[in-house]
Amino acid sequence: MKLSLLVALVVWAFGAPAWAADSDGAFQAGDRVALAGNTRPEAVSQNDLGPLPAEWRLEHVQLLLRRAPDREAALVAHIAALHDRRSPQFHRWLTATEIGQNFGPSPADLATVTAWLASDHLQVNGILPGRMIVDISGAARDVEAAFHVRLERLDVKGVRHFANMSDPQIPRVLAPLVAGIVSLHDFTPHTGVKPVKPYTYGLNQCWPLVNGRAGACHALVPADLHTIYNFKPAFDAGITGAGQSVVVIEDTDVYNPADWTTFRQTFGLSRYRQGSFVQSHPQGAIACADPGVVSGSQDDAILDAEWSSAAAPDASIVLASCRNSTTFGGLIALENLLGGSNLPASVSISYEDCETFDGAAANAAYDETYKEAAAEGVSIYASTGDDGAAGCDAGQTSATHGVVVSGMASSVYDVAVGGTDFGDAYAKTVDSYWQSTNGKDYGSAKSYIPEIPWDDSCASVLIATWYSGSSLTYGSNGYCNAGADHTDFLSISAGSGGPSGCATGSPAVRGVVGGSCAGWPKPAWQTGFAGIRNDGVRDLPDVSLFAGNGIWSHYYLYCDSDGNLCSGVPSNWGSAGGTSFSTPIMAGVQALIDQQTAQHWGNPNTVFYELAAAEYGAGGNRDCTSTRGKKASASCVFYDETEGDMDVDCTGAYDCYLPSGDYGVLSKEATRYKPAFRAGKGWDFTTGIGTINVANLVNAWR
């Protein structure tokens, strides 16, 4: 048996496992067990173009290991103690190496796994300090032999991919040590930025229509953000993110780093002189290759960097990216980052992927990585996505796979960030909240603005009511089938939320394959006030911010010189919405909190939900209801969105209420109208706890 140098060192340091002398025979001839739920739904015969060449090299195949049950329970308990002010362990954060030594697989287990991989001619590239990820590479023929799979080339809607056609298998004797293979394909998560849509009446006119005519546009710039969400008192007190770093996780470099500087100069942020921006490709146990500029992702990367800086203008903004391979480059970047010693205040991840499509091992890998971040004191903010509750149908005009969330946000160790829209146009109070002309730094917002769930779909009762006079969205006479210009609203662009349903166990992809799903369990902190569901699973989102892309005349501006104007009057710059904006902004807010309190906070949800319980209680808080707008109490930490929904149109048999007509609406029950989902008092699936008053949040946190 030929061992790589790394495997040889592992065996030398930790001792050879008992089976080493006859490992080839033991592993090659032994009984095998399938790692269930690790086949992409696209891996079907109709997409098959034939075998992957035998010499094709798969880089960064990651093996996720399994802790012994007592070690897993001990780590979970220790993380809880790290976040408990009554515990002597409170905020005594661990290093990645300490996590590995105290809670990871034993040295003998590592030696067993790495020697097995080498016996199958796979190269062990590195083991993360937390001891839960082994990074390997190998030729396609050796990967197929090791995991008893067939790797095929695929054509999926005109795009070439490769993937395993069945669940991988491992020797049964290794089942207690190996949880799964994170990826044996090249499908990667996608960004969530939603450009302002060119509706029927033209890109340069804003909706909603009033008497058949388009209204005024009010694009959000940093000065507006600071006014609406009350950043200014914190800034005036010197809480600007100074001394903190915010990392935005990407799989690309930005097209032009100078765009970040242009954005700050144009919108008055350059007066905060400590702010900086760098791009990095974190190295560690796993080699991280520079991805270069990746079309389709780089615009999301630059807006992440710009808007996190808008929230924390004196913070160091670090773009961390690695090249995509068999593993998502952003995950590699985060893994190496957490394995180092220079840890950030917070991390923003504004990518999304269907929880069921990810499969059990990938979901578990994200959860494990976020878990280690929480143990190290790093706060993870993850986008819930931009697809309503239809997380498997991104980019489609109607939902077909039912209610599913993003697997990149469903862990109990991240803050899941959703999206709102402004409700002033719906309430016909636009003039009460916006100046008629721009002021300093192009700002024009007067105060906090009423908010509603972000929803571009005809299934939205607010859109249906505005354009048809009726809230009826479904059926032959409902707005999704019979409303004037309703085809403009056949869309699943909306703030996302819902219950975790396919994170663990034997995931099924609804509408694609059969089976059952199990979600992440309800965290202990997600309780204690109005609206919290007693459903036993992790529910999304946790908090939200504005994410609209123009459906009610409001959207974000950003500077991206790749194919867009990034000079002159900023109203001609890139314009978009999505939780790709709200997520980095919230990560920036965490930098303010960390500066104010002079410490890191790990998983901030333990505090978010404690503060929300104090504000909402069992019945909600009328004084902090978002519809009150500028009349909301000055003491509110959160604004509670109670009007509207994030429902989207659908077709098919999965969670789709379609009594008649061509389009139904996504529903928690297919036989009656239970929209997925409505806003309500306290916590809800549309916006979570709600949106924030930044100065009050920072002060309450202290």
Side-chain angles (χ1 to χ4, degrees), residues 6 50-51 130 211 219 234 271-272 278 295 369 472 489 501 510 606 618 685:
L6 177 59
N211 297 324
R271 62 178 175 268
Y272 299 96
V278 296
S295 177
T369 305
L472 184 67
F489 301 98
R510 306 190 71 193
T606 57
F685 285 114

Side-chain angles (χ1 to χ4, degrees), residues 553-631:
S553 80
H554 307 304
Y555 48 84
Y556 284 97
L557 295 178
Y558 64 102
C559 175
D560 174 19
S561 57
D562 181 21
N564 298 296
L565 288 175
C566 195
S567 61
V569 179
S571 58
N572 294 319
W573 290 9
S575 55
T579 53
S580 284
F581 289 90
S582 55
T583 304
I585 292 171
M586 283 302 309
V589 171
Q590 186 63 46
L592 306 184
I593 293 168
D594 285 23
Q595 181 194 356
Q596 169 79 315
T597 59
Q599 55 187 301
H600 288 191
W601 284 86
N603 184 358
N605 273 326
T606 57
V607 181
F608 277 127
Y609 280 80
E610 180 182 357
L611 294 174
E615 179 165 301
Y616 293 144
N621 186 335
R622 181 181 179 276
D623 291 337
C624 296
T625 300
S626 180
T627 52
R628 293 180 61 83
K630 60 187 176 183
K631 295 181 181 179

Side-chain angles (χ1 to χ4, degrees), residues 495-554:
S496 291
S500 172
C502 288
T504 60
S506 301
V509 181
R510 306 190 71 193
V512 180
V513 297
S516 60
C517 298
W520 295 118
K522 177 77 76 179
W525 40 259
Q526 196 169 43
T527 186
F529 58 92
I532 297 289
R533 303 307 198 267
N534 185 25
D535 54 7
V537 297
R538 165 77 160 117
D539 290 323
L540 312 181
D542 297 307
V543 294
S544 297
L545 286 177
F546 172 73
N549 68 327
I551 201 72
W552 293 104
S553 80
H554 307 304

Side-chain angles (χ1 to χ4, degrees), residues 227-228 431-436 444-449 630:
T227 296
I228 295 165
D431 291 343
S432 297
Y433 292 101
W434 300 90
Q435 304 285 353
S436 58
S444 59
K446 296 180 180 180
S447 68
Y448 175 70
I449 300 173
K630 60 187 176 183

Side-chain angles (χ1 to χ4, degrees), residues 336-383:
N336 279 346
L337 181 77
L338 295 174
S341 57
N342 188 21
L343 299 176
S346 60
V347 170
S348 168
I349 302 174
S350 54
Y351 287 72
E352 57 178 294
D353 207 9
C354 165
E355 193 178 49
T356 54
F357 286 10
D358 280 343
N363 283 314
Y366 288 119
D367 181 69
E368 177 60 36
T369 305
Y370 298 172
K371 182 187 300 177
E372 292 190 15
E376 294 179 44
V378 177
S379 302
I380 302 290
Y381 286 84
S383 161

Side-chain angles (χ1 to χ4, degrees), residues 453 461 533 641-647 668 673-681 683-687:
V461 295
R533 303 307 198 267
E641 288 71 42
T642 59
E643 181 179 46
D645 58 58
M646 63 173 199
D647 202 11
K668 291 173 285 184
Y673 179 57
K674 295 188 71 175
F677 290 95
R678 286 191 179 107
K681 291 182 180 179
W683 189 94
D684 55 59
F685 285 114
T686 64
T687 62

Side-chain angles (χ1 to χ4, degrees), residues 190-202:
H190 55 89
T191 59
V193 59
K194 294 289 186 180
V196 173
K197 185 178 178 180
Y199 295 100
T200 301
Y201 294 91

